[in-house]
Each structure stands twice: as structure tokens, then as C-alpha cells.
Amino acid sequence: MEPSWLQELMAHPFLLLILLCMSLLLFQVIRLHQRRRWMIRALRLFPAPPAHWFYGHKEFYPVKEFEVYPELMEKYPCAVPLWVGPFTMFFSVHDPDYAKILLKRQEKVIQDRKESLKDKLKQDTTQKRCRDFLDILLSAKSENTKDFSEADLQAEVKTFMFAGHDTTSSAISWILYCLAKYPGHQKRCRDEIRELLGDGSSITWEHLSQMPYTTMCIKECLRLYAPVVNISRLLDKPITFPDGRSLPAGITVFINIWALHHNPDFWEDPQVFNPLRFSRENSEKIHPYAFIPFSAGLRNCIGQHFAIIECKVAVALTLLRFELAPDHSRPPQPVRQVVLKSKNGIHVFAKKVC
Ligand code: HEM
């Protein structure tokens, strides 16, 4: 009797393997294709620039994004879906009211969790007044070894080290660059710091709250060069924005901090370095979600006060000793990586002040 095709196939395991791989590949392609169609349907209310079916909006990523965004913001109000390849889409939000809806919705869940932890924390603080971050992590680990493993502990420490180091070093680099580029503002900061600190041999907590002009300059740098360019949220429930447009659960939304900070509807001359935007009178006029270098809502940066302190100390001690000037032959080229960097480095000259 002739062997059936199945028997033939079983006799060639290699062929069987290839067939299996091909089926899996086909299955994946169908799945991705269906997801793409689902996303296109979900995004029908959000117009976008024409995209290549395979490359998507490749021309906007990664370096050119900063150059093309002003035009994108003008043409596509509030948000714009940008495709990277055929199956990946960034729903990029640049409107503060959209950002508010997205960042506030998780507050209730976190608030509930915080309430339940409150009593426990009260108990802990009476036992030991000052617990640092590692103390808290270690006690969480020792109380609950099953849910909080050694690997979790390592991951938390890494998160802190990354979240606290790269961001702050990006911020300080861009702040020094801005001060170098705008010598008038640099001088005002130096005068303020000199008056406050003298030779700078001691700097205290009290000093840090008495540098209004330097603080405004730092904020203006964080606006122009936000170290974290965007943050993302995966929608677990459908969402409706203030203009009535909606998105279904399952879409990943990018809150584009850089674009929010440069949105001409909320900032006059957004490219201009103007620390007075953050003066006491003017601050009140800023939309609370138009300036969010540390994100907003309950899931915002837990290190923001520490970061601002680091920036103030670094700026104060640098300006007391050095006069900064930009290197015009090598202007920085901002590029979006995990944090905001410059493609060719950030170069400033430092001359000792007498
Ligand atoms: C200029 C410096 C900094 C900037 C611009 C910055 C910015 C941010 C932003 C935008 C987020 C929110 C991420 C999100 O919503 O998905 C965040 C979260 C976080 N930041 Fe910072 N950060 C800075 C410094 C620091 C420092 C110094 C620390 C720690 C010492 C820190 C620790 C964290 C942690 C642990 C989170 C995660 C919070 C969470 O997921 O609930 N950051 N940061």
C-alpha cells in the first residue's frame, strides 16, 4: 500500500519542523495584520500624515521629531498617531487637557492603595524615625519574600539608579548649556548666588529656597530640554477626551512632554528662552499639564524635589567658580533616547571667574 502524505511527512522530521515554523510564522503575521486593522479602526477619528504601509512615519523618527513637531502640532491638534513600521504605532499626545485625562485616571487606584498602606506606615515611623529607600525595600522584602524576590529588589534599585542618574545628568548638562548660551541670564543667576552664598564654602537647605531667578532659569531649561521626552500609558479601559474623541482599551498612548512644552497654543514663542514665564505672577497662568518635566498625577516622579535640589547645587557651585560660554562650532543636536541627549555631545567653555 502507498504511504499517505501524513506518513511521508512523519518520515521527514526536518520537513515537519519547517512546516511547523511556517505555520507559526503565518499565524503571527495574521495576528499582527488583524491588530493593525484594529488599530486603524480605533484611530479613525485621529487624522495623521500619510504613512508608508511598511515604514510608517519613518521620516519623523528619531532625530527629526523635534524639527517636524511644530508642524505636526499645527496640523493635528491634541494628538497624532505615528506609525513605526507596519505594526507599531505611537499615539503621541501634545495637548495638556488630553495629558490631564490620561495622567489623572490612575489616581483613584493608587489613592486606594495609599490609604491601605497609610496605617502601616504610621506604625513603622513610630518604630524608627528615618527609614531610607533601601530600608523600606528591605523590610518589604523580608515581610513578603514570596511576592518580592531578590530579583525584584535588584530591579527596584536599578530603576532608582537609572531614574535618578541619567535624568539628572541630562538636566544639569542642558541647564549649563542654556546658561552658557544666554550670558545675560547667566550673569543674573551668578549675581543672585554670590549675594546669597558669598564664596560658596557652605550651602544649606535654606539657601536653596532663596534663588528665585536661578530656579526660574532651571525650570525654563527643563521646559525647553525636558530630560524625559515622553512617557507612555497602556489603556486598560477605553478613554474619552474632552473633545469627545475616544480610544479603546489596548492602545498605548505616548504623552509627548517635549511637544507639550513647545505647544504654541500654550506657550508664547515656545522656542525662546524666557525664564520669566515662571515668575510668580506668570506661573499662575500656566496650564498645570503644559509643563510636566516630572510627569503629573500620583504616578509622577518621586525624586523631583531631590532632582531640583541637585540642579540648584550644581548650578550654584559651577556659576560661583566659572563663567560659561557656548562652543559655537559644536552646537548640540538634541536626540530622543531614553532621556534627552545630544547626538554630538554638549560642549561649553568654562573660564575661571576671579
Ligand atoms: C531632572 C531629573 C528627573 C526628571 C526629569 C525625572 C522625570 C521623571 C518622569 C517624567 C517620571 C514619570 C514616568 C512616568 O510617568 O511614566 C519619573 C518617574 C520616576 N522617577 Fe524621576 N526624574 C528625575 C529625577 C529623579 C530622581 C533624582 C529620582 C530618584 C532619586 C527619580 C526617581 C523616579 C522613580 C523611581 C520614578 C518611577 C515612579 C513610578 O513609577 O511610580 N527621578 N521621573
Side-chain angles (χ1 to χ4, degrees):
M1 199 176 70
E2 287 253 319
S4 73
W5 65 269
L6 195 61
Q7 282 167 325
E8 284 250 13
L9 204 62
M10 299 300 267
H12 298 90
F14 186 64
L15 214 65
L16 194 66
L17 191 70
I18 292 182
L19 201 70
L20 200 71
C21 289
M22 299 280 277
S23 317
L24 277 175
L25 195 70
L26 189 69
F27 175 71
Q28 276 300 333
V29 172
I30 293 173
R31 222 170 53 93
L32 285 169
H33 179 68
Q34 278 177 341
R35 181 161 167 82
R36 179 182 159 87
R37 288 185 51 181
W38 172 77
M39 282 199 280
I40 289 172
R41 264 202 312 276
L43 296 167
R44 69 192 178 284
L45 295 175
F46 297 91
H52 186 276
W53 76 270
F54 187 74
Y55 297 115
H57 295 104
K58 183 172 156 263
E59 69 273 25
F60 298 140
Y61 283 93
V63 185
K64 294 216 179 112
E65 186 197 15
F66 297 118
E67 291 154 32
V68 295
Y69 233 94
E71 195 189 320
L72 281 181
M73 281 195 276
E74 201 189 320
K75 282 196 184 149
Y76 307 98
C78 306
V80 58
L82 293 175
W83 288 85
V84 181
F87 306 118
T88 311
M89 185 274 305
F90 292 137
F91 185 84
S92 179
V93 166
H94 47 261
D95 177 83
D97 287 318
Y98 268 47
K100 181 175 173 184
I101 296 272
L102 287 159
L103 292 172
K104 281 200 86 152
R105 70 173 356 206
Q106 64 213 335
E107 287 195 1
K108 167 118 185 58
V109 182
I110 300 177
Q111 195 60 55
D112 291 351
R113 174 68 63 88
K114 279 193 170 168
E115 287 300 320
S116 73
L117 283 175
K118 226 182 228 165
D119 292 344
K120 198 173 168 313
L121 273 174
K122 252 188 220 155
Q123 207 183 322
D124 287 350
T125 21
T126 46
Q127 282 162 11
K128 187 179 175 191
R129 269 191 69 76
C130 285
R131 282 153 56 91
D132 67 16
F133 171 63
L134 204 56
D135 280 341
I136 295 167
L137 281 184
L138 287 171
S139 58
K141 179 169 155 47
S142 64
E143 281 160 22
N144 203 346
T145 28
K146 219 165 89 224
D147 290 345
F148 196 68
S149 67
E150 187 66 35
D152 293 334
L153 178 85
Q154 301 270 356
E156 290 297 326
V157 173
K158 269 192 203 142
T159 303
F160 255 75
M161 289 178 70
F162 159 73
H165 183 270
D166 284 21
T167 45
T168 316
S169 58
S170 163
I172 293 173
S173 311
W174 287 106
I175 291 168
L176 295 181
Y177 166 71
C178 284
L179 293 173
K181 194 170 167 196
Y182 303 103
H185 295 296
Q186 183 187 152
K187 185 175 174 313
R188 275 190 74 171
C189 290
R190 183 177 297 105
D191 291 348
E192 178 180 79
I193 291 161
R194 261 198 193 139
E195 197 171 310
L196 187 69
L197 299 181
D199 65 356
S201 50
S202 105
I203 181 163
T204 64
W205 289 106
E206 282 69 38
H207 288 139
L208 298 171
S209 55
Q210 296 165 36
M211 305 176 179
Y213 200 78
T214 311
T215 309
M216 288 193 285
C217 286
I218 291 175
K219 286 187 177 168
E220 180 64 344
C221 294
L222 290 174
R223 182 188 72 82
L224 276 173
Y225 298 102
V228 177
V229 179
N230 51 37
I231 50 179
S232 60
R233 297 289 184 266
L234 172 64
L235 298 183
D236 61 348
K237 286 190 226 120
I239 193 163
T240 301
F241 294 110
D243 58 8
R245 293 188 288 179
S246 316
L247 285 177
I251 293 275
T252 302
V253 178
F254 282 78
I255 298 156
N256 189 329
I257 296 180
W258 186 90
L260 284 169
H261 288 185
H262 289 78
N263 190 330
D265 292 339
F266 295 86
W267 300 100
E268 204 183 315
D269 299 327
Q271 307 303 336
V272 173
F273 183 85
N274 175 13
L276 291 176
R277 299 175 201 274
F278 293 98
S279 68
R280 192 170 297 178
E281 318 82 84
N282 291 339
S283 291
E284 284 163 16
K285 293 179 224 145
I286 300 175
H287 188 300
Y289 286 77
F291 176 66
I292 51 165
F294 298 102
S295 182
L298 285 179
R299 195 73 198 268
N300 66 5
C301 173
I302 55 177
Q304 59 180 293
H305 296 296
F306 183 64
I308 291 284
I309 286 166
E310 280 184 283
C311 293
K312 285 185 182 174
V313 172
V315 169
L317 297 184
T318 307
L319 292 191
L320 273 181
R321 290 165 179 78
F322 299 101
E323 201 177 303
L324 306 175
D327 180 350
H328 293 296
S329 66
R330 289 180 290 181
Q333 295 170 23
V335 57
R336 190 172 60 112
Q337 293 187 350
V338 181
V339 297
L340 183 71
K341 297 223 164 143
S342 164
K343 222 166 98 182
N344 55 339
I346 299 174
H347 302 272
V348 296
F349 295 113
K351 194 173 104 193
K352 220 166 175 1
V353 288
C354 355

